Amino acid sequence: MVTMLDVARCAGVSKSTVSRVLNGKDVVREEVKALVYKAIAETGYRPNLLAQQLATKKSSLIGLVITNAVYNGPFFSTLVYNAAKFCEAHDHRLIFADGKQSDEEEMNAIDFLVRMKCAGVMVYARHIPAPQLAKIISESPVPIIVLNQQLAASPDHAVFIDHYRGSEIMMDYLQAQGHRRIAYIRGKMPSPSNMARQQAWQDKLVASGVDDSDALLAQGDWSMESGYRAAQALLAGGQRFSAVLAANDDMALGAIKALKEQGLAVPEAMSVAGFDNANVGRFFTPALTTLDIPIEQMIQTAVERILNTNNDPACTALCGTLVVRESVGRCASEE
Amino acid sequence: MVTMLDVARCAGVSKSTVSRVLNGKDVVREEVKALVYKAIAETGYRPNLLAQQLATKKSSLIGLVITNAVYNGPFFSTLVYNAAKFCEAHDHRLIFADGKQSDEEEMNAIDFLVRMKCAGVMVYARHIPAPQLAKIISESPVPIIVLNQQLAASPDHAVFIDHYRGSEIMMDYLQAQGHRRIAYIRGKMPSPSNMARQQAWQDKLVASGVDDSDALLAQGDWSMESGYRAAQALLAGGQRFSAVLAANDDMALGAIKALKEQGLAVPEAMSVAGFDNANVGRFFTPALTTLDIPIEQMIQTAVERILNTNNDPACTALCGTLVVRESVGRCASEE
DNA sequence: CTGAAAGCGCTAACAA
DNA sequence: TTGTTAGCGCTTTCAG
């Protein structure tokens, strides 16, 4: 392991001089500079970032904690991709810790990142309860930004999407197509996005006079497989409904599969819609009607908040935009 | 920022004692231990991992470099998910650096991770040429494992999948179904997996007497969108073919969409197959016939190689297994 | 413009 | 069993 001292000796100067030419802060004589660069090349020196960060107390890392519950969705790749992208756009690197499946693991993950002296950490939490989150935020020496979740206690530490409003938009569309009895497949609980979406669904149903919404609710776990089974369960339940709204695209896609298998053409006999605007939805037959979620903006805002380049509170009010494709049709059965 | 010294003072002991109780290595008197724990709780002390790693020269980080060219595929989530999983199974954390779109960026990413003193780094490279990679490996102070690419120069630093063999398996199946003129949609170059798959496709075609394989080749970039367009181009080309093989599932799915739009039923009028066994393929109509790639095993081997818990050279010989579903049928047209 | 020396927060001999 | 002392590799005063 070649250190700065080795380079210094090789160049016949002191450690501090080497440090200076590397950081370009102080002024160093050109000839000396050349000498140092030559020594660096000869020795194959690579600065140790741990030592550097320890000395400067500055970090080039931004942490991200995600539950692996969302690992299989398209949501995950988009999130990670954009997180990496924006971090690097600001000369930082993304460091990643798995929140696994429990609040304890999620806390561990956050703790690890904080102790790694990240400049900040983004948390896509599924298990830590809000008050606990608020406590972590207030006690943390570095900014902690909570993703996809509203935090009353510290709004500027949360970047979220208004899933309730998004779900309303979708329900309005469905109802405008004449659907009244709309079934809902929810994701695994607890999940803020699911809760909000489900609530809007129920509220809209009630507002339109459907009062047995419970009978139209099915349970999934975000996976296609679970959407497939949830749709089967719904069908088996014997309830009347003309549309199925799933809490994400994957489940919607699974549901379509199940409906088709039962001889129900989509959208002719049954309409289906999802959330997230997963890439694959466009290539399905029928192409999936969905709600596009501005993940990219959310992450960008989070990163900028961490690095203090963004103070725009408006960014927390995202709600998504409807993407109309083929999987929703007009309601056939007049009720 | 509360340091170990603060804790020591608070407990009325020395730094080393605190360090000892924290690491549990040396024996410390129970009462002193209690004192220290109390002090830790009171001060809210969190060990600084940078300092710790600098002092011990041990790291709990494993790096991963990926080109963002693969970010949108299902390949990506599986890779990252499993990488995180196996790292954590071995008490390490995954740290992530974007290889972006050039060899220079990929080298930067590797360099960063090495300088962060990772225990090792896994590289899913798309741009750095093999000889360069070999050089990096030989000069690196920590193990560098190249993913998904054969490396003649240093076989024990490469964990790859035999894509040529995998493609042969698929071609054998297609030909067994009676297909002779099989079109191929390739991914963006350069890509070792694509090159191998394409070569096997061509060799098999030639072996079966088809000598104008060039006319049956279309260019994609791994995305569904590109598969869609490639299939359109193939159709527009006016060539006869009864099956389309795409270098990955996403392109295969895109191709199916285009074929359907042209009134070609899959698999009745045209067969389609892909590679990777993306989750979504199962829920498509028709469900996609594909080749399952043992990504999980590949990553596991890589992580274990880095941590020296695996010396089994057999693990480098993975080739994947055929997953027969509905998108390939018997060739209708006798030629 | 450059070098000496102290310090970042922790660990690890070595003594006591 | 515990404290003292030197580092780990880098930055950063402070002198010169």
Side-chain angles (χ1 to χ4, degrees):
Chain A
M1 155 100 312
V2 23
T3 79
M4 190 175 262
L5 187 58
D6 299 323
V7 176
R9 277 204 268 261
C10 173
V13 297
S14 77
K15 261 195 326 181
S16 355
T17 300
V18 177
S19 174
R20 273 190 274 260
V21 348
L22 246 26
N23 297 316
K25 283 291 186 182
D26 278 298
V27 196
V28 180
R29 205 150 34 105
E30 278 306 330
E31 350 163 4
V32 179
K33 242 186 212 167
L35 233 49
V36 170
Y37 280 128
K38 186 160 148 285
I40 288 176
E42 274 176 18
T43 54
Y45 168 69
R46 332 246 68 180
N48 179 329
L49 293 179
L50 293 182
Q52 190 168 312
Q53 290 178 30
L54 180 61
T56 57
K57 292 161 166 296
K58 287 197 199 323
S59 174
S60 56
L61 254 30
I62 289 180
L64 175 64
V65 177
I66 309 192
T67 345
N68 61 25
V70 294
Y71 273 7
N72 278 311
F75 203 85
F76 175 74
S77 7
T78 310
L79 202 68
V80 174
Y81 170 49
N82 283 291
K85 187 176 80 182
F86 288 115
C87 286
E88 308 210 352
H90 292 275
D91 272 317
H92 282 249
R93 296 275 178 179
L94 185 68
I95 173 171
F96 191 90
D98 188 349
K100 295 187 189 149
Q101 305 276 13
S102 70
D103 57 343
E104 198 193 346
E105 293 289 358
E106 282 181 356
M107 311 244 315
N108 278 345
I110 297 176
D111 190 51
F112 169 80
L113 295 172
V114 169
R115 288 169 50 200
M116 276 302 289
K117 300 295 158 191
C118 288
V121 3
M122 302 183 282
V123 183
Y124 190 103
R126 270 289 166 73
H127 302 283
I128 306 178
Q132 181 75 350
L133 230 29
K135 184 157 172 281
I136 293 175
I137 289 172
S138 69
E139 289 174 355
S140 167
V142 296
I144 307 238
I145 307 289
V146 173
L147 263 25
N148 202 33
Q149 187 172 160
Q150 188 158 12
L151 233 48
S154 37
D156 46 333
H157 287 265
V159 181
F160 66 97
I161 285 160
D162 187 343
H163 294 297
Y164 185 88
R165 180 75 201 105
S167 185
E168 278 188 327
I169 291 173
M170 181 57 86
M171 285 298 288
D172 285 345
Y173 173 68
L174 253 15
Q175 293 180 328
Q177 299 305 305
H179 298 282
R180 287 193 70 235
R181 299 189 58 79
I182 301 168
Y184 182 80
I185 301 177
R186 69 178 186 181
K188 204 174 194 168
M189 306 295 276
S191 150
S193 54
N194 183 75
M195 268 147 50
R197 285 170 182 169
Q198 183 180 334
Q199 191 62 53
W201 160 76
Q202 189 174 344
D203 291 350
K204 287 286 181 184
L205 234 45
V206 168
S208 75
V210 177
D211 54 5
D212 61 338
S213 65
D214 281 4
L216 296 173
L217 177 63
Q219 180 73 52
D221 66 9
W222 305 110
S223 69
M224 291 188 191
E225 184 67 38
S226 77
Y228 177 80
R229 279 199 289 261
Q232 289 179 327
L234 241 16
L235 256 18
Q239 293 293 324
R240 279 180 307 119
F241 54 93
S242 62
V244 176
L245 177 58
N248 74 351
D249 284 352
D250 277 3
M251 294 194 295
L253 264 16
I256 290 179
K257 173 90 173 174
L259 295 170
K260 278 185 183 170
E261 283 182 7
Q262 301 294 315
L264 257 18
V266 179
E268 294 78 6
M270 184 71 74
S271 291
V272 178
F275 290 97
D276 289 355
N277 192 14
N279 196 34
V280 69
R282 198 155 44 108
F283 293 89
F284 233 71
T285 311
L288 189 66
T289 290
T290 185
L291 192 87
D292 184 64
I293 302 298
I295 298 180
E296 183 173 353
Q297 272 182 68
M298 182 175 78
I299 293 289
Q300 177 171 17
T301 306
V303 170
E304 291 177 348
R305 282 267 226 283
I306 286 176
L307 301 175
N308 265 317
T309 53
N310 176 308
N311 294 305
D312 182 2
C315 287
T316 52
L318 314 162
C319 73
T321 59
L322 188 65
V323 179
V324 174
R325 290 199 282 242
E326 310 160 357
S327 63
V328 173
R330 286 208 62 80
C331 183
S333 61
E334 236 17 81
E335 306 186 42
Chain B
M1 155 99 311
V2 25
T3 79
M4 190 174 264
L5 187 59
D6 299 321
V7 176
R9 277 203 267 262
C10 172
V13 297
S14 78
K15 260 195 328 181
S16 358
T17 300
V18 177
S19 174
R20 272 190 275 260
V21 348
L22 247 25
N23 298 316
K25 284 292 189 184
D26 278 298
V27 195
V28 181
R29 213 155 21 112
E30 280 304 329
E31 347 161 5
V32 179
K33 241 187 214 167
L35 234 52
V36 171
Y37 280 128
K38 187 160 146 288
I40 289 177
E42 274 176 19
T43 55
Y45 169 68
R46 330 245 69 180
N48 179 328
L49 292 179
L50 293 180
Q52 189 168 313
Q53 291 177 28
L54 181 60
T56 56
K57 292 164 165 293
K58 287 195 197 326
S59 173
S60 56
L61 255 33
I62 289 180
L64 174 66
V65 176
I66 308 193
T67 344
N68 60 25
V70 295
Y71 272 7
N72 278 313
F75 203 86
F76 175 73
S77 7
T78 310
L79 201 68
V80 174
Y81 170 49
N82 282 291
K85 187 176 82 183
F86 288 115
C87 286
E88 307 210 353
H90 292 276
D91 273 316
H92 282 247
R93 296 275 178 181
L94 186 67
I95 174 171
F96 191 89
D98 189 347
K100 296 189 188 148
Q101 304 275 14
S102 72
D103 57 343
E104 198 193 347
E105 292 289 357
E106 283 182 355
M107 311 245 316
N108 278 345
I110 297 176
D111 190 51
F112 169 78
L113 294 171
V114 169
R115 287 169 48 199
M116 276 302 289
K117 299 297 158 189
C118 286
V121 4
M122 303 184 282
V123 183
Y124 190 104
R126 268 289 166 72
H127 302 282
I128 306 178
Q132 181 76 350
L133 230 28
K135 183 156 173 283
I136 293 175
I137 289 174
S138 68
E139 287 174 357
S140 168
V142 296
I144 306 236
I145 307 289
V146 173
L147 264 25
N148 202 31
Q149 187 172 157
Q150 186 158 11
L151 234 49
S154 37
D156 46 331
H157 287 267
V159 182
F160 66 97
I161 285 161
D162 187 343
H163 294 297
Y164 185 87
R165 181 75 200 106
S167 184
E168 279 188 327
I169 291 172
M170 182 58 87
M171 285 298 288
D172 285 345
Y173 173 70
L174 254 16
Q175 293 181 328
Q177 298 305 306
H179 299 282
R180 286 191 72 234
R181 297 188 60 80
I182 301 168
Y184 182 81
I185 302 177
R186 68 178 187 180
K188 203 175 194 170
M189 305 297 273
S191 150
S193 54
N194 182 74
M195 268 148 49
R197 285 169 182 168
Q198 182 179 335
Q199 190 62 53
W201 160 76
Q202 189 173 346
D203 291 350
K204 286 286 181 183
L205 234 46
V206 169
S208 75
V210 177
D211 53 6
D212 61 339
S213 63
D214 281 4
L216 296 174
L217 178 64
Q219 179 73 51
D221 65 8
W222 304 111
S223 71
M224 291 189 192
E225 184 67 38
S226 76
Y228 177 82
R229 279 200 287 263
Q232 288 180 327
L234 241 16
L235 255 20
Q239 293 292 324
R240 280 180 307 118
F241 54 94
S242 61
V244 176
L245 178 59
N248 74 351
D249 284 352
D250 278 1
M251 294 194 294
L253 263 18
I256 290 178
K257 174 90 173 172
L259 295 170
K260 280 185 182 170
E261 283 184 5
Q262 300 294 315
L264 258 16
V266 178
E268 295 77 6
M270 185 70 74
S271 290
V272 178
F275 290 96
D276 288 355
N277 193 15
N279 196 37
V280 69
R282 202 154 42 106
F283 292 89
F284 233 73
T285 311
L288 189 66
T289 289
T290 185
L291 192 85
D292 184 64
I293 303 297
I295 299 180
E296 183 173 354
Q297 272 182 66
M298 182 175 78
I299 293 289
Q300 176 170 17
T301 305
V303 171
E304 292 178 347
R305 282 266 229 282
I306 286 176
L307 302 175
N308 264 316
T309 53
N310 177 310
N311 294 304
D312 182 1
C315 287
T316 53
L318 314 161
C319 73
T321 59
L322 188 65
V323 179
V324 174
R325 289 198 283 241
E326 310 159 358
S327 64
V328 173
R330 287 208 60 83
C331 183
S333 61
E334 242 10 86
E335 304 184 44

